[in-house]
Amino acid sequence: MKFGAFFLLGSPRMEPAEEMYRRLLDWAVLAEELGYDSVWFAEHHFSNYGYIPNPLLMAVKVAAVTRRVRIGTAVLVLPFWNPLRVAEDIAMTDQLTDGRLEVGVARGYQPYEFARFGVSMDEARGRTDEALEVLLRALSRDEFEYQGKAYKIPPTTIFPKSRQQPRPPIWLAAHTRESFDIAVRLGLNAITTNSGRPIHVLEEGWRAFLEARAAHGVDGPAEFAVQQQLCVAPTDDEARSQMEHFRYAFRQVANLRGGTEQVVNGFSHPTPVAGEPALNEIFDSRTLSGSPTTVREKLARYQQACGITALNCTFQLGGMAPEVTTCSMRLFAEEVMPHFRTGVGVAAD
């Protein structure tokens, strides 16, 4: 299994951007020192839920302070980008990161963001499907053209070409049979989030992935990455004491996804959600949190539930103190990762 460190980079206290970015760079350097395979950044807009509107810019900055670790976008929200322009930006970013770029993409889920870009969420799937087609052609061909509903592109060559050939790895965020089907059909890697969700959701996603592969007659090794929230502490009680920050994240996502957000001057209020899980439930079954021993046991259940080949770890959430995140990263790298380093590229069937 491979391991990535994922950063949403939100701040309930609306901390200055320069402080947030400096902290993130320190964590990226630490991730490389501790042996993580990759670091990943989310794309979010117009609120303190996330400070990174352009993960490609962040990738270039992180590449300047690291040497080995791969750098990923989790994810670029394709309906917000012109696909031809983002293809150029991806290729240039891959050059500037010395070929260390991993490209995660998705259609997005926040009505608040869509409305401010003037894009209808009803059009998100169609625009994403077309953008993927354009992106793949632009990155892998010397010249291409495209005629679709949303995009019509005459014969075009992007320049520069990416460092990685024929293109950087592309990961599609997938949760449903429909999205897994798209990933398999286009030959993309699959990444699914189980953040704040119980393990049965992961099992359902894995079944949908296998069904999509069977439907398209695909066999052999498969990349199946999972993103999950976690806090590793010396004891279960210490990790349990951090669950309020995970509930903050649950509330933010639920409100922003459901269109019930309350954002004033960029501050997104973590309004309680009907039926939200209790703190004990979040610790017990909705995160990979606890002492190193407990986290190893929980992660072993993930291995039993699906053919996971990579885990992206969300270490920083809500108002969690930076030193808690740093300690969690260290304990996971030193006492959890070594137990799961075998089995990369396990066959999906």
Side-chain angles (χ1 to χ4, degrees), residues 10 22 26 40 87 99 105 169 191 216 241 258 262 266 283-284 294 341:
R22 182 168 56 251
D26 289 342
W40 298 77
V105 296
I191 181 170
H216 288 278
S241 72
Q262 297 180 31
F283 175 86
D284 291 335
T294 297
R341 273 300 188 187

Side-chain angles (χ1 to χ4, degrees), residues 269-284:
H269 292 265
T271 309
V273 179
E276 66 184 27
L279 296 181
N280 282 340
E281 181 183 348
I282 293 173
F283 175 86
D284 291 335

Side-chain angles (χ1 to χ4, degrees), residues 194 196-207 228 281 285-286 301-302 305:
N194 214 54
R197 295 167 171 165
I199 195 168
H200 73 80
V201 177
L202 177 59
E203 292 170 333
E204 292 165 4
W206 176 244
R207 285 195 295 270
Q228 179 57 292
E281 181 183 348
S285 62
R286 290 178 176 260
R301 291 198 286 272
Y302 274 42

Side-chain angles (χ1 to χ4, degrees), residues 76-87 90 105-107 123-139 144 146 148-151 153 170 172 182 186 188:
L76 299 176
V77 184
L78 287 182
F80 300 160
W81 296 76
N82 177 288
L84 197 56
R85 180 58 186 267
V86 77
I90 287 170
V105 296
R107 64 176 169 174
E123 300 174 358
R125 168 56 71 200
R127 293 175 69 94
T128 299
D129 290 349
E130 288 196 21
L132 275 172
E133 295 280 0
V134 172
L135 189 60
L136 292 171
R137 294 185 192 189
L139 288 172
F144 80 101
Y146 183 81
K149 181 178 178 180
Y151 305 106
I153 302 171
I170 297 180
L172 182 66
I182 293 169
L186 296 179
L188 308 178

Side-chain angles (χ1 to χ4, degrees), residues 74-137:
V75 294
L76 299 176
V77 184
L78 287 182
F80 300 160
W81 296 76
N82 177 288
L84 197 56
R85 180 58 186 267
V86 77
E88 288 185 314
D89 288 351
I90 287 170
M92 183 174 178
T93 302
D94 194 48
Q95 288 287 345
L96 296 177
T97 58
D98 298 323
R100 289 190 276 152
L101 185 64
E102 302 273 336
V103 183
V105 296
R107 64 176 169 174
Y109 68 90
Q110 296 189 11
Y112 181 82
E113 295 180 338
F114 274 80
R116 280 146 187 82
F117 278 114
V119 178
S120 168
M121 289 198 70
D122 293 337
E123 300 174 358
R125 168 56 71 200
R127 293 175 69 94
T128 299
D129 290 349
E130 288 196 21
L132 275 172
E133 295 280 0
V134 172
L135 189 60
L136 292 171
R137 294 185 192 189

Side-chain angles (χ1 to χ4, degrees), residues 156-334:
T156 302
T157 299
I158 67 164
F159 188 82
K161 295 296 184 183
S162 60
R163 176 76 66 90
Q164 299 175 87
Q165 287 294 314
R167 56 171 172 76
I170 297 180
W171 300 78
L172 182 66
H175 313 291
T176 65
R177 170 60 194 276
E178 179 187 21
S179 52
F180 281 119
D181 188 80
I182 293 169
V184 172
R185 175 171 56 84
L186 296 179
L188 308 178
N189 298 329
I191 181 170
T192 191
T193 179
N194 214 54
S195 295
R197 295 167 171 165
I199 195 168
H200 73 80
V201 177
L202 177 59
E203 292 170 333
E204 292 165 4
W206 176 244
R207 285 195 295 270
F209 179 60
L210 292 182
E211 289 169 2
R213 286 170 58 84
H216 288 278
V218 175
D219 55 18
E223 290 287 356
F224 186 84
V226 177
Q227 191 157 292
Q228 179 57 292
Q229 301 163 351
L230 71 164
C231 177
V232 191
T235 67
D236 282 351
D237 285 343
E238 289 175 88
R240 196 181 297 271
S241 72
Q242 300 297 317
M243 292 303 103
E244 184 65 45
H245 304 299
F246 293 78
R247 184 163 65 182
Y248 166 91
F250 181 92
R251 290 172 173 174
Q252 291 282 31
V253 171
N255 283 301
L256 287 164
R257 183 185 299 277
T260 57
E261 75 287 334
Q262 297 180 31
V263 181
V264 180
N265 291 327
F267 181 83
S268 179
H269 292 265
T271 309
V273 179
E276 66 184 27
L279 296 181
N280 282 340
E281 181 183 348
I282 293 173
F283 175 86
D284 291 335
S285 62
R286 290 178 176 260
T287 67
L288 293 174
S289 296
S291 67
T293 298
T294 297
V295 173
R296 290 197 299 267
E297 292 171 353
K298 290 181 176 181
L299 186 52
R301 291 198 286 272
Y302 274 42
Q303 277 193 319
Q304 296 167 2
C306 68
I308 179 173
T309 60
L311 178 72
N312 283 357
C313 306
T314 303
F315 286 109
Q316 177 262 337
L317 286 168
M320 187 180 292
E323 55 269 25
V324 173
T325 295
T326 299
C327 176
S328 183
M329 291 178 65
R330 287 190 179 279
L331 284 174
F332 187 85
E334 294 169 357

